Amino acid sequence: MTPDQLSNTIFSPIKKWAEASSGNWNTLLGVGFILLIVGLILMGVYYKKIGTPDERTNQIHLRSAYIILLVVVISDLIFPKEYMWQIFFLLKYASAFIAAGIFLAIQYTKDSSY
């Protein structure tokens, strides 16, 4: 099974559901934007809580940027490119920002416990 066939079997039901009505399409788009905003707020809050750039925080920021890159690359491999690419583009970056925000939250709680 090729990666394109695998992604089509996974995301074909989402495509059928979204194209069934404009309400479904708008719901999918709204959920994507909400996830994107949540990810950006999560990252912004924890970037600010971690503090000013120094040797320790620069490593944390670099790791969070690495996580964003990793999630974007993996999402490019998984999400289909033939249909609904705008929605999947939105979900790709929303999931990348949420993953980086979760990493920053975990790192902040580890650092604040010391």
Side-chain angles (χ1 to χ4, degrees):
M1 185 173 245
T2 65
D4 288 335
Q5 290 173 339
L6 181 63
S7 69
N8 282 336
T9 57
I10 293 172
F11 296 109
S12 172
I14 294 173
K15 177 187 175 196
K16 289 177 186 173
W17 175 79
E19 291 176 347
S21 74
S22 62
N24 292 350
W25 182 265
N26 291 336
T27 301
L28 189 59
L29 189 63
V31 167
F33 273 117
I34 289 171
L35 288 175
L36 182 69
I37 290 170
V38 165
L40 288 171
I41 289 172
L42 190 64
M43 279 183 55
V45 165
Y46 282 106
Y47 269 127
K48 191 168 185 160
K49 280 187 175 185
I50 286 177
T52 58
D54 59 7
E55 290 119 14
R56 180 187 63 85
T57 59
N58 282 340
Q59 292 296 327
I60 295 170
H61 294 309
L62 286 174
R63 277 191 239 140
S64 69
Y66 176 71
I67 288 173
I68 291 173
L69 177 67
L70 194 65
V71 171
V72 166
V73 168
I74 290 172
S75 297
D76 276 339
L77 295 174
I78 294 173
F79 288 147
K81 291 148 191 71
E82 294 86 30
Y83 54 87
M84 293 177 39
W85 65 271
Q86 300 97 342
I87 298 291
F88 291 128
F89 186 81
L90 176 68
L91 293 175
K92 171 175 57 173
Y93 283 99
S95 60
F97 292 147
I98 288 174
I102 290 171
F103 167 75
L104 289 171
I106 291 169
Q107 193 66 38
Y108 178 74
T109 56
K110 281 182 185 177
D111 288 348
S112 64
S113 66
Y114 290 117

